[in-house]
Amino acid sequence: MGKRKQKNQIFNNLSKKQKKHLKEFGEEHPFHDIVTEKAEKTQILALPDSPVQSSAESDEDDEPEHKSAYQKLLSTLSSPADHESEDESVDDEEEVEEHLSEEGSDGDEEYKEAGNNLTVTPEEADEGEAGPNEGCEDAMEDETAGGVEFEDKEHESQFCLENNFSGEGEQEGAESTAKQEDKEDSFKLHLDTEISEEDVKWITAGTKAKAQVKWPRLGTLLCSSPLEKFGPAGQEKDKRPLALHKVLETNWTSLNQTSNPKVAVEEVSPLQLELLSLMGSYKDVYFPESSPLTEGRQVRSAYCLHALNHVLKANSGVLGHNAQMRENQAADKAGGNKAKVEPQDEPRDQGLTRPKVLILVPFRDGALRVVQTLINLLETKDRKMDVSNKKRFKDEFGEEPVDTPPNLFRPDDYTAIFSGNIDDHFRIGVSILRRSIRLYAPFYSSDIIIASPLGLRTVLGVEGEAKRDYDFLSSIEILVVDQADVFLMQNWEHLLHVMKHLNLQPLDPHGVDFSRVRMWNLNNWAKYYRQTLMFSSIQDPQINNIISKHCFNYRGQVATKNMPITGSICQVLVQLPHVFQMINSNSFMDQDARFQFFVDKVLPQYRDSVMSHTLIYVPSYFDYVRLRNYMKKEEINFASICEYSTKSEVSRARHFFQKGDKQFILFTERFHFYKRYTIKGIQNLIFYGLPSYPHFYNEVCNMLQAGGQGEEASWTCTALYSRYDAQRLAAITGAQRAAQMLQSQKPVHLFVTGEEKGP
């Protein structure tokens, strides 16, 4: 009873607020805990070395929003801000990652492993454990648990351009760069060219002079130029197409070397020579024939060489000017007032922020291969590259081999796309200096940023968010979009969001020396100097829209325009009549006309019980939702499969459709892209829209022979198209047939594939 009275007495001594908290949460508020006088052990925590950040953030609250760099010019010259401060912590990302995990990560056990290129030797592993990065693994575990993204701030002074001067190697590089100026180095010509306000008006007006040239490997090139003084691409190509930096001169011919020393190094291919020639002209390049099976690796090596050459030249110029300015200052101090030397203007060799190259790839495995290519290009037989945080990078971007079932079959293109780590949420900064590479560099200390659109989207944020940053994209000079077709299968809006935040005027100065910033950067004309390199395996109107609406390079654009002679319909192995029906549509985005035509003309023909086992292929998820809702409303017996369906839902839908319990099955293109399941029991096909990938057409058509149901004579295939589907139609039927179909007055065209089997 004594204890109970003591408890009641303690409860009665509590205030009303404390009693309420005790009833709601079952415990007292920690503020009212009884503190013992026993001395506790002090815990020492390692805080990030950015003492200026908190004060800088408090100052930002007092200043008006959207304050431009011009308005802060005078204040920053006296007290420059720390350019390292970068906050990449992202709140509420779990929903986005979970939303896309089913697209790229669901069913990972089915993806076939193709080895990683980045290898870590035992010596390097020992260095990672007991070398200059000692304690890195513990820090990684702590930061991962706390949700903080790792940044390498240990090597900041080593890779800082402002505090470094060119040594012997860099001085030679600067001299070689000066010699290349006499040879009309395209790097210097591009960045030193001053365009006028009248030129800017011509570029923004969108009027371009177009011409066609033909090259041996690339084929037909469509060249467009907004300014007359920069004509189309020439016909002649040099054996060494780029004026290379001294570091790359001896090693660039080993462009195609791999991490396996036993494999012989392939020579530079004609495709790479022609691509490097176009990249060296600093025009925008669009190459829509970069297949992941054949051209993909060659294309990656080519743009890595071009980007690395650009970064090395830019950094060598800055370091050389740093050394020259230091010598001038030393000479002035030594001479005193005796020798009066006229003051010279400081060289303008920088942008508003340091990042110069942005490389967008869809998966972590792509970033892994890009970094390995950069290392291979810089490493020579005599000297190995010093790569910071290499072991950590291998652990986060690599993937251990996974045992796949022996009976699992996937096409070769599927294996090439989904090999390695297929996480699509990542970003990493890379800085390059003195033949050393620093991985996980803060963005404002990086030369190259490698990221996925989703990884950047979570940093860029949207208007109204408290934590967002896009100043690091203000001075991007080369943008590389690799595997753009895969972005169509992920979320195209993320890429558009990144494009809208490129080359905007920064809101903060980030410690920049305005006296060394190029004038066209200060004029907010950086987007007219940015070179965009777009690579894809297909031609698509949405990719063309990026080139036409978001690229304003004053030097113009070059796009490969080769029309397919034979379409993918020739790869259909089954005997099948293909009926192509044309829809009258007013625009590419007019989906109402397609939906109404399908509901009124096509669907009634297949609602008869005789036309059972019908698969409806829908390229767009929005059209899929619209059709699903309509069929539910009309009480049509159907099943549906999309990229967000669970494994159990997919299994049930496939089972009921094969047995005939469901007459229709809705089937999205993105589900086929990520899974490549064979749907059995198909007897009738309807393509609500033409597939984005031409080989998807023959893959789906060949599914008819997998079910073993019905006779071939009863199989049907109907495909809907409009005049805005010209590129997809040409890829499926061939360019000549597609032209006849689009110009014909008849809305229906019939093709028959396969041969009749003999007795």
Side-chain angles (χ1 to χ4, degrees):
M1 294 296 292
K3 292 183 179 180
R4 182 176 298 178
K5 286 183 179 180
Q6 187 178 1
K7 290 182 179 179
N8 292 336
Q9 186 178 0
I10 295 175
F11 183 82
N12 293 332
N13 292 335
L14 298 177
S15 63
K16 291 183 179 181
K17 189 174 182 181
Q18 292 174 339
K19 291 178 181 178
K20 183 179 179 181
H21 191 279
L22 182 60
K23 290 180 180 179
E24 290 181 356
F25 300 98
E27 62 180 0
E28 293 185 38
H29 195 279
F31 179 79
H32 303 287
D33 288 347
I34 300 175
V35 182
T36 61
E37 296 181 357
K38 183 180 179 180
E40 296 183 357
K41 186 178 180 181
T42 305
Q43 184 179 5
I44 301 176
L45 298 178
L47 297 177
D49 4 328
S50 71
V52 189
Q53 185 173 359
S54 59
S55 61
E57 290 179 353
S58 61
D59 295 341
E60 287 178 358
D61 297 336
D62 300 332
E63 294 175 356
E65 296 182 358
H66 305 293
K67 194 169 184 181
S68 65
Y70 293 105
Q71 296 170 332
K72 295 188 177 182
L73 173 59
L74 296 178
S75 62
T76 54
L77 291 178
S78 58
S79 59
D82 187 4
H83 69 281
E84 286 184 36
S85 59
E86 178 186 3
D87 187 4
E88 292 184 24
S89 62
V90 183
D91 298 333
D92 299 329
E93 294 181 3
E94 289 81 10
E95 183 178 352
V96 181
E97 293 177 352
E98 183 180 357
H99 176 70
L100 291 191
S101 64
E102 293 186 3
E103 299 179 15
S105 302
D106 190 8
D108 287 348
E109 68 276 4
E110 298 170 3
Y111 298 145
K112 186 176 180 181
E113 176 69 28
N116 295 325
N117 286 337
L118 191 64
T119 57
V120 180
T121 61
E123 293 80 2
E124 293 169 344
D126 295 338
E127 290 178 4
E129 295 175 358
N133 298 331
E134 186 175 1
C136 179
E137 298 299 324
D138 298 335
M140 178 170 62
E141 294 177 0
D142 297 340
E143 288 163 353
T144 305
V148 179
E149 188 171 348
F150 170 73
E151 289 180 355
D152 177 22
K153 296 183 179 180
E154 181 182 353
H155 303 85
E156 182 65 24
S157 59
Q158 179 183 351
F159 287 84
C160 180
L161 290 179
E162 289 76 9
N163 301 331
N164 278 276
F165 303 93
S166 60
E168 296 180 359
E170 284 77 13
Q171 191 68 31
E172 293 177 0
E175 293 176 0
S176 64
T177 304
K179 293 179 182 178
Q180 288 169 356
E181 292 182 24
D182 301 334
K183 300 179 182 179
E184 296 186 351
D185 182 15
S186 57
F187 170 81
K188 297 293 295 180
L189 289 176
H190 176 63
L191 297 182
D192 292 346
T193 300
E194 296 287 344
I195 59 175
S196 62
E197 293 186 3
E198 185 178 354
D199 294 335
V200 172
K201 292 180 180 179
W202 274 102
I203 297 173
T204 53
T207 305
K208 299 178 181 179
K210 297 184 179 181
Q212 277 192 3
V213 296
K214 195 164 186 178
W215 282 18
R217 175 57 181 86
L218 291 175
T220 303
L221 302 179
L222 179 61
C223 308
S224 57
S225 177
L227 304 178
E228 294 182 358
K229 51 186 175 182
F230 302 104
Q235 298 282 357
E236 298 181 359
K237 296 161 291 302
D238 301 329
K239 292 183 179 179
R240 194 180 69 179
L242 289 177
L244 295 173
H245 188 271
K246 182 179 178 61
V247 177
L248 300 173
E249 279 185 345
T250 57
N251 205 34
W252 82 277
T253 52
S254 303
L255 191 61
N256 297 319
Q257 68 179 347
T258 61
S259 57
N260 189 357
K262 297 181 180 180
V263 179
V265 178
E266 300 178 6
E267 295 183 357
V268 181
S269 66
L271 172 64
Q272 291 174 319
L273 289 174
E274 295 186 8
L275 283 176
L276 288 171
S277 180
L278 291 179
M279 295 175 190
S281 66
Y282 278 91
K283 299 177 183 288
D284 292 342
V285 179
Y286 174 35
F287 180 60
E289 300 176 11
S290 178
S291 170
L293 287 172
T294 52
E295 296 89 358
R297 184 171 57 86
Q298 299 180 26
V299 167
R300 180 172 56 249
S301 301
Y303 72 66
C304 285
L305 175 63
H306 176 60
L308 191 58
N309 185 50
H310 182 90
V311 169
L312 289 175
K313 286 187 176 182
N315 289 352
S316 294
V318 173
L319 296 177
H321 292 150
N322 289 347
Q324 184 178 0
M325 292 169 61
R326 185 179 63 170
E327 292 176 0
N328 294 340
Q329 292 175 358
D332 292 343
K333 291 181 180 179
N337 297 328
K338 297 180 180 180
K340 295 184 179 180
V341 182
E342 296 183 0
Q344 298 181 356
D345 295 336
E346 293 188 8
R348 296 192 175 271
D349 52 7
Q350 300 177 13
L352 290 169
T353 53
R354 180 171 173 177
K356 309 170 186 63
V357 179
L358 174 62
I359 301 177
L360 297 177
V361 289
F363 302 118
R364 282 181 182 259
D365 181 70
L368 180 79
R369 297 175 188 274
V370 167
V371 171
Q372 179 61 48
T373 304
L374 297 176
I375 295 174
N376 290 341
L377 288 172
L378 288 171
E379 277 187 343
T380 59
K381 297 180 179 179
D382 302 332
R383 179 177 178 180
K384 268 196 167 187
M385 286 296 299
D386 180 17
V387 183
S388 305
N389 308 301
K390 184 175 182 180
K391 185 176 184 301
R392 181 193 188 98
F393 177 74
K394 171 67 168 58
D395 294 339
E396 293 187 2
F397 285 77
E399 188 177 48
E400 296 297 329
V402 179
D403 294 333
T404 57
N407 58 345
L408 184 64
F409 171 76
R410 292 291 183 267
D412 293 338
D413 68 292
Y414 179 91
T415 305
I417 293 175
F418 294 103
S419 62
N421 192 330
I422 57 170
D423 179 26
D424 60 354
H425 185 203
F426 62 91
R427 52 187 177 269
I428 183 172
V430 181
S431 56
I432 301 171
L433 199 65
R434 302 183 188 277
R435 296 190 179 182
S436 300
I437 293 182
R438 175 193 183 197
L439 303 177
Y440 295 98
F443 280 178
Y444 291 99
S445 302
S446 302
D447 298 304
I448 301 175
I449 296 176
I450 307 172
S452 65
L454 175 61
L456 281 184
R457 176 68 182 265
T458 53
V459 176
L460 301 179
V462 294
E463 189 174 355
E465 290 186 2
K467 292 183 179 180
R468 59 179 310 210
D469 186 14
Y470 51 83
D471 289 354
F472 58 88
L473 299 178
S474 61
S475 299
I476 295 296
E477 297 166 3
I478 296 179
L479 168 65
V480 180
V481 183
D482 196 7
Q483 293 180 280
D485 52 290
V486 180
F487 297 143
L488 287 171
M489 298 293 111
Q490 292 178 337
N491 194 329
W492 191 250
E493 291 297 325
H494 294 336
L495 180 60
L496 294 178
H497 190 74
V498 173
M499 297 298 298
K500 292 175 183 177
H501 287 81
L502 285 173
N503 302 118
L504 299 180
Q505 198 75 8
L507 302 180
D508 297 313
H510 302 285
V512 65
D513 183 1
F514 285 93
S515 62
R516 296 186 65 174
V517 177
R518 301 184 187 94
M519 290 306 300
W520 48 266
N521 281 107
L522 296 176
N523 292 335
N524 198 20
W525 288 354
K527 64 180 180 180
Y528 304 116
Y529 286 80
R530 186 190 75 231
Q531 181 188 30
T532 303
L533 307 176
M534 185 82 66
F535 304 103
S536 170
S537 64
I538 59 172
Q539 293 190 12
D540 192 88
Q542 297 183 77
I543 302 177
N544 296 337
N545 181 69
I546 293 287
I547 297 294
S548 59
K549 301 297 183 182
H550 296 275
C551 299
F552 307 95
N553 191 344
Y554 76 91
R555 287 189 171 268
Q557 303 168 351
V558 179
T560 304
K561 295 291 183 182
N562 294 321
M563 301 304 295
I565 301 176
T566 59
S568 61
I569 195 173
C570 299
Q571 305 299 322
V572 178
L573 304 178
V574 297
Q575 183 179 357
L576 184 66
H578 304 260
V579 179
F580 288 84
Q581 298 191 25
M582 186 172 183
I583 306 169
N584 293 324
S585 181
N586 296 326
S587 67
F588 174 75
M589 302 302 295
D590 183 14
Q591 301 300 328
D592 294 334
R594 185 182 298 270
F595 176 76
Q596 206 61 42
F597 183 87
F598 176 81
V599 170
D600 296 340
K601 304 291 184 183
V602 180
L603 190 58
Q605 302 176 13
Y606 288 86
R607 294 194 65 172
D608 193 343
S609 59
V610 179
M611 306 294 289
S612 61
H613 296 276
T614 301
L615 181 141
I616 304 176
Y617 181 96
V618 189
S620 170
Y621 179 76
F622 301 104
D623 292 334
Y624 163 81
V625 173
R626 189 175 187 179
L627 287 175
R628 184 189 62 189
N629 295 341
Y630 173 80
M631 297 178 80
K632 283 183 179 180
K633 181 180 177 181
E634 296 295 322
E635 297 182 353
I636 299 176
N637 185 22
F638 78 101
S640 59
I641 297 176
C642 70
E643 55 272 22
Y644 303 112
S645 301
T646 62
K647 291 184 178 180
S648 58
E649 291 173 346
V650 172
S651 299
R652 286 196 300 267
R654 296 172 66 187
H655 175 71
F656 291 146
F657 179 74
Q658 183 179 5
K659 288 181 60 179
D661 296 341
K662 300 294 184 181
Q663 183 177 358
F664 296 92
I665 184 169
L666 290 178
F667 185 81
T668 62
E669 180 174 77
R670 291 171 69 186
F671 176 82
H672 184 66
F673 175 80
Y674 282 105
K675 301 298 183 184
R676 305 292 176 93
Y677 289 170
T678 299
I679 308 299
K680 298 181 180 180
I682 305 174
Q683 297 181 16
N684 304 286
L685 272 176
I686 301 176
F687 285 92
Y688 186 80
L690 298 180
S692 301
Y693 290 87
H695 62 274
F696 282 5
Y697 185 86
N698 56 279
E699 285 182 4
V700 175
C701 289
N702 289 331
M703 289 183 187
L704 274 76
Q705 63 183 357
Q709 296 183 2
E711 299 179 357
E712 291 188 6
S714 62
W715 292 347
T716 63
C717 177
T718 301
L720 308 182
Y721 71 97
S722 68
R723 60 192 180 98
Y724 297 100
D725 298 328
Q727 292 178 336
R728 296 184 180 183
L729 185 64
I732 293 174
T733 64
Q736 186 175 359
R737 291 174 179 171
Q740 295 175 355
M741 294 168 64
L742 293 173
Q743 296 173 2
S744 174
Q745 299 296 328
K746 298 179 180 179
V748 180
H749 300 272
L750 175 64
F751 298 91
V752 179
T753 57
E755 298 180 358
E756 294 184 2
K757 297 180 181 179

